[in-house]
Amino acid sequence: MDELRSGLNKPSHFRLGLAMWSHSNWQESVYGHGIKQAERLARYATIFNTVEGNTSFYATPAQQTVMNWHSATPDDFRFTFKLPQTITHQKLLQYCGQELKDFFQVMAPLIDKTGIWKIQLPAHFGPENLPVLAQFLNQVPQGLTYGVEVRHAAFFAKGEAERALNRLLIDKKVNRIIMDSRPLFALPPSNAAIIDAHKKKPRVPVHAIATANHPVVRFIGQADDAVTRLAQQGASALPKDNDAFFDNWLAQLPLWLTEGREPYLFIHTPDNETAPELAIRLYQKLRSQIATHIQLAEINLLEKKPEETSPQMGLSW
């Protein structure tokens, strides 16, 4: 674990990351012994080339914190930051010009390292609010890359509301963020982490559409041993495992790559304790799948393989 790992932080057409860069239970799998909390981001960025910056949703970070994040990551690393909830959930994208200005002023040092600025909308933001979203997309700083995550049922019904949303995002060249929570909700609420995740994560259909050049997939997986544990407990009907749910992405992600897009894939688990291991394992499956497609031979998915430095991570390719 003492060696620095490299690989996914190299320039590529594909970005893989986790829901966070700091987790107390990743000392063995990601950081190594002796790594201080302030050094976790730098170590994380030697393995993955992107991350979900969710803390900005709850509060805009201090200017010095932003500078520290910039210093801790290589030039080709890409953050994704959520816009503050004061803008998206409290003001519902309206009358928030000053809040937008203040947020981007603080985040300015990370403009060049932020791949996508995420606009996560609450479940009650529905079809009648699309004109507000259209106006807001004209109001945000132009020249940046944005992603929108919706949760209203009408935007998943394949009706006029969803078509109107998709047309708007395509017209504005804004990415639609895709939530794949099927693995999570296949699990029974058998422990506190799963119960909490069931409450917080939306259970919406998966519509794998790319409305712009950087489609975003948030894959809410199971802990890798979840199905095995249920079997040991004598469960009569076992759910599908992560691999079964990920199979469709083994076809869709390469397709986006052939189209010249740069997809982002973020891996979660209910408590995120084993998310790093799951992310690497699913990436290995994806890499193997792409190797079978001759037409993908020239696509630079990775330039260098991470070294195997931890038996827990198993980063051998």
Side-chain angles (χ1 to χ4, degrees):
M1 279 299 302
D2 292 334
E3 300 92 336
L4 289 177
R5 286 151 290 184
S6 60
L8 282 169
N9 60 319
K10 297 299 182 181
S12 69
H13 294 279
F14 174 76
R15 293 195 176 272
L16 174 67
L18 306 176
M20 60 192 69
W21 64 74
S22 182
H23 195 297
S24 58
N25 288 331
W26 293 352
Q27 203 67 35
E28 291 290 336
S29 62
V30 176
Y31 310 125
H33 296 292
I35 295 298
K36 300 177 182 178
Q37 186 165 352
E39 300 169 332
R40 289 179 176 180
L41 175 56
R43 186 60 67 97
Y44 170 97
T46 67
I47 304 173
F48 300 100
N49 59 10
T50 189
V51 71
E52 289 192 277
N54 294 323
T55 57
S56 58
F57 178 75
Y58 302 101
T60 299
Q63 189 77 69
Q64 185 57 53
T65 300
V66 172
M67 297 298 295
N68 292 342
W69 292 346
H70 188 281
S71 299
T73 50
D75 291 342
D76 47 23
F77 187 85
R78 291 294 177 267
F79 293 91
T80 69
F81 287 111
K82 286 183 183 179
L83 269 60
Q85 61 180 339
T86 54
I87 295 173
T88 58
H89 285 56
Q90 296 173 16
K91 294 202 169 185
L92 296 178
L93 310 185
Q94 300 183 85
Y95 314 111
C96 53
Q98 188 61 50
E99 288 83 357
L100 267 179
K101 180 180 178 180
D102 293 344
F103 175 70
F104 279 102
Q105 183 173 355
V106 171
M107 303 299 289
L110 282 173
I111 290 289
D112 62 328
K113 287 189 177 182
T114 302
I116 297 177
W117 300 92
K118 294 183 175 182
I119 304 166
Q120 180 183 296
L121 299 172
H124 59 272
F125 192 99
E128 69 279 4
N129 301 116
L130 283 181
V132 174
L133 176 59
Q135 183 177 16
F136 182 77
L137 293 175
N138 290 331
Q139 182 183 2
V140 295
Q142 301 301 296
L144 304 180
T145 301
Y146 295 95
V148 170
E149 181 181 316
V150 292
R151 300 190 173 187
H152 193 286
F155 293 135
F156 298 89
K158 297 186 177 181
E160 180 52 37
E162 183 169 10
R163 288 191 290 270
L165 169 67
N166 291 339
R167 285 196 300 266
L168 170 62
L169 298 181
I170 291 170
D171 180 62
K172 299 296 185 182
K173 295 182 174 58
V174 171
N175 303 279
R176 180 169 178 174
I177 297 173
I178 303 161
M179 174 75 76
D180 188 350
S181 58
R182 296 172 300 161
L184 169 65
F185 286 101
L187 294 173
S190 56
N191 62 45
I194 298 174
I195 292 171
D196 185 59
H198 277 195
K199 292 178 180 178
K200 293 180 178 178
K201 303 299 183 185
R203 189 172 189 172
V204 294
V206 181
H207 293 177
I209 180 174
T211 57
N213 201 48
H214 299 82
V216 180
V217 178
R218 302 179 67 201
F219 187 82
I220 318 299
Q222 308 159 356
D224 259 342
D225 64 346
V227 176
T228 301
R229 187 168 60 250
L230 286 172
Q232 293 172 343
Q233 294 170 353
S236 57
L238 296 177
K240 293 191 291 184
D241 60 13
N242 287 309
D243 289 18
F245 288 110
F246 197 70
D247 280 349
N248 289 339
W249 295 115
L250 293 179
Q252 185 61 61
L253 291 167
L255 178 60
W256 282 334
L257 287 167
T258 61
E259 295 172 349
R261 303 183 194 271
E262 184 175 296
Y264 283 66
L265 174 63
F266 295 103
I267 303 298
H268 304 231
T269 60
D271 55 15
N272 284 309
E273 287 188 13
T274 60
E277 292 92 337
L278 177 60
I280 294 300
R281 192 175 63 75
L282 293 179
Y283 175 74
Q284 290 171 335
K285 288 174 63 69
L286 177 62
R287 185 178 175 86
S288 176
Q289 174 76 5
I290 288 178
T292 67
H293 292 264
I294 297 176
Q295 66 269 29
L296 294 181
E298 295 183 0
I299 288 183
N300 175 28
L301 191 60
L302 279 183
E303 288 187 345
K304 186 178 179 182
K305 302 175 184 178
E307 298 173 0
E308 183 173 4
T309 58
S310 166
Q312 288 81 8
M313 281 293 281
L315 292 179
S316 60
W317 300 79

